[in-house]
Amino acid sequence: MVCSHKSIELEYYVREGISPVHQDISDLKKHFQTRESLYRLLGLIPNFFKGKDIIEIGPGSGHNSIYTASLLPKSYVLVEPNPIGVKDIRKIFKNFTSKHTKPNIVLKSLEDYKNNKLYDLAICEGWLGGTDDYEKKMYIKFSSLVKSGGVMIHTLYSPIGGMATFLRRLLSYRLISKKDTMRKKTTILEKAFSSHLKTLSSMSRSHKHWIQDSILNPHIYVGISTPRIFAKILNNKFSLHQSVPHFTSDWRWFKSLHGNKRKFNENFLSQYDSICHCMIDFRMNGVKRSNKKNNELEMMCIDFATAAKNNEDFGHAEYKKNIEPIFKKIINNVGSDLPVNSKKALQEVSLLLKKKVIKINDVAKMTKFKFFFGREQCYLSMINQ
């Protein structure tokens, strides 16, 4: 395979020989309904896909792609750079007997993919952040695949929504060593976090794959993104359409939305700014607060991710010196606006991280933080204006 391996995530997958993104599709009807629900919330009904030209970048195992193929697009291109992933995709489509559009599977990275064709819909899940120069460049290339008036769907990894995972990764690197094998790391962290993951009733991946993809994957720091970052990278050439979860509601009268009064992106971003603090804990419903406080919180969480990335290998001393001060600021910023259980979860993990030695049982027996998960992988749909 010809690939530059500039993608941190791809390099990790290929180095470890893994594709930890398998979905539980034992109940195929349920799986298809969840995918339909995702597309519906993003503003796309099933009939939109029929007869359309669609491309998906990084489809991973192909478990999600079989639903899209079942909607009978005119053409469907799957660009996947991980050989393990391509093997999984071929296997799943070989065993998929329902009527569907046969995809063209391309074993290449987005960087190496060359095609002048434009698509009605471009999809990319679980990749493409907005803070790394390489991924910004790839995001622009991804957007260039979309026809005028076409749509792109991609994931959104808010630094606020990522806090629970950043904190779990810090706990993890007090339990494991980077020198450990992938199997050893996974085994240790399954013991530590299984009690946490069991609290998630709608989880569709195995604990093993979640740990390898959400905790051990270094992309969790690089993948940071926000709607504002994405809109800025594309210089507002795309219009923010819908999101999962929905951050906005537009009460403006449609007859007034013409010329320079349309301002779809401005309206979206203003409402996002007032509600994005709720992403820190998925149990929170959307309640508004100061845009200024949320902008400050978002920047603090980005700073926290950077500090965690640079210091996670060095243990307690570096945590106390370089990470804890930022964590204190985050708690001070958002604490008064959190439900009681969310506050207690942050207090519990803060106390544990202050300990010089952390054991597996310390993590496994957490009573408040085990329920604390952020809205870390969200979705955006955007229209090429």
Side-chain angles (χ1 to χ4, degrees):
M1 182 180 87
V2 179
C3 178
S4 61
H5 290 292
K6 288 184 180 178
S7 166
I8 290 174
E9 186 165 52
L10 174 60
E11 182 182 21
Y12 165 70
Y13 288 162
V14 172
R15 181 181 69 246
E16 301 294 345
I18 58 175
S19 180
V21 292
H22 290 196
Q23 300 292 320
D24 178 3
I25 61 170
S26 55
D27 185 342
L28 195 60
K29 181 179 179 181
K30 176 184 174 182
H31 178 65
F32 277 19
Q33 285 180 343
T34 62
R35 295 303 297 180
E36 180 188 353
S37 297
L38 171 65
Y39 289 146
R40 181 190 294 266
L41 291 173
L42 289 170
L44 303 177
I45 62 173
N47 278 350
F48 169 85
F49 296 78
K50 190 171 183 178
K52 295 293 196 299
D53 293 314
I54 301 176
I55 187 168
E56 183 169 358
I57 305 298
S61 59
H63 287 73
N64 293 333
S65 304
I66 55 174
Y67 172 68
T68 307
S70 76
L71 298 177
L72 304 180
K74 179 182 177 182
S75 66
Y76 191 19
V77 179
L78 301 178
V79 180
E80 172 55 54
N82 184 357
I84 303 297
V86 167
K87 184 178 178 181
D88 289 340
I89 294 168
R90 287 175 176 156
K91 181 179 178 181
I92 200 168
F93 273 99
K94 182 180 179 180
N95 296 326
F96 185 46
T97 57
S98 299
K99 186 177 180 181
H100 67 280
T101 298
K102 184 179 179 180
N104 175 21
I105 303 169
V106 181
L107 177 58
K108 284 188 177 180
S109 66
L110 174 58
E111 183 176 22
D112 297 325
Y113 180 71
K114 295 179 181 179
N115 192 329
N116 294 324
K117 184 174 180 176
L118 298 179
Y119 296 86
D120 299 293
L121 174 65
I123 304 168
C124 183
E125 299 185 43
W127 186 49
L128 289 175
T131 59
D132 175 85
D133 287 342
Y134 168 74
E135 295 207 2
K136 287 180 184 177
K137 181 180 177 182
M138 291 300 98
Y139 183 61
I140 291 170
K141 181 169 183 178
F142 172 63
S143 71
S144 73
L145 300 172
V146 182
K147 294 177 181 178
S148 177
V151 180
M152 66 178 184
I153 289 173
H154 55 79
T155 38
L156 165 71
Y157 195 92
S158 157
I160 299 173
M163 277 300 299
T165 297
F166 302 153
L167 290 164
R168 283 188 171 88
R169 181 159 169 127
L170 285 176
L171 290 172
S172 297
Y173 275 94
R174 301 282 289 279
L175 301 174
I176 62 174
S177 166
K178 284 206 170 182
K179 295 179 182 179
D180 292 338
T181 64
M182 175 59 65
R183 176 178 291 184
K184 183 177 180 179
K185 290 176 185 176
T186 304
T187 299
I188 291 171
L189 297 183
E190 277 189 283
K191 292 177 182 177
F193 291 118
S194 283
S195 62
H196 298 219
L197 298 174
K198 285 176 181 176
T199 70
L200 297 174
S201 61
S202 297
M203 190 169 187
S204 60
R205 286 196 287 177
S206 68
H207 292 183
K208 173 184 174 181
H209 276 198
W210 184 88
I211 286 163
Q212 291 179 349
D213 199 40
S214 295
I215 297 295
L216 296 175
N217 187 346
H219 190 261
I220 70 165
Y221 297 129
V222 178
I224 287 173
S225 53
T226 69
R228 178 171 280 101
I229 287 173
F230 282 137
K232 184 177 180 180
I233 292 172
L234 299 181
N235 197 26
N236 287 312
K237 292 179 181 177
F238 278 68
S239 174
L240 293 159
H241 182 42
Q242 291 289 356
S243 65
V244 176
H246 280 177
F247 300 118
T248 67
S249 58
D250 200 333
W251 284 79
R252 298 176 298 167
W253 183 237
F254 75 94
K255 290 184 180 180
S256 69
L257 302 182
H258 54 84
N260 61 9
K261 296 179 182 178
R262 287 161 62 87
K263 296 186 177 180
F264 290 115
N265 283 2
E266 292 89 339
N267 181 67
F268 186 105
L269 294 173
S270 177
Q271 293 194 53
Y272 170 83
D273 287 344
S274 72
I275 207 169
C276 61
H277 66 289
C278 296
M279 299 174 74
I280 200 166
D281 189 338
F282 82 101
R283 297 171 295 179
M284 291 178 67
N285 292 322
V287 292
K288 294 185 177 182
R289 72 168 195 161
S290 160
N291 287 26
K292 182 176 182 292
K293 286 183 74 174
N294 276 352
N295 289 334
E296 291 171 352
L297 175 64
E298 201 162 66
M299 292 309 301
M300 288 176 193
C301 292
I302 290 175
D303 290 343
F304 183 92
T306 301
K309 177 185 177 185
N310 293 335
N311 294 277
E312 66 183 7
D313 292 338
F314 305 116
H316 174 262
E318 294 304 309
Y319 169 77
K320 291 283 289 182
K321 178 182 177 182
N322 298 317
I323 304 176
E324 187 184 26
I326 305 173
F327 193 23
K328 284 183 178 178
K329 290 179 182 179
I330 290 170
I331 293 174
N332 288 338
N333 173 286
V334 77
S336 61
D337 298 296
L338 294 181
V340 172
N341 284 336
S342 302
K343 291 180 190 177
K344 289 183 177 180
L346 289 175
Q347 291 165 358
E348 183 180 37
V349 71
S350 177
L351 288 173
L352 184 53
L353 284 166
K354 288 177 183 179
K355 293 178 65 173
K356 287 188 176 181
V357 176
I358 299 175
K359 298 179 180 179
I360 292 173
N361 276 347
D362 294 333
V363 178
K365 293 183 178 180
M366 296 179 87
T367 60
K368 301 298 180 183
F369 186 68
K370 72 177 182 179
F371 296 101
F372 187 89
F373 288 87
R375 295 183 183 272
E376 57 179 31
Q377 181 158 295
C378 302
Y379 287 78
L380 285 177
S381 58
M382 302 176 71
I383 301 171
N384 188 359
Q385 302 182 104

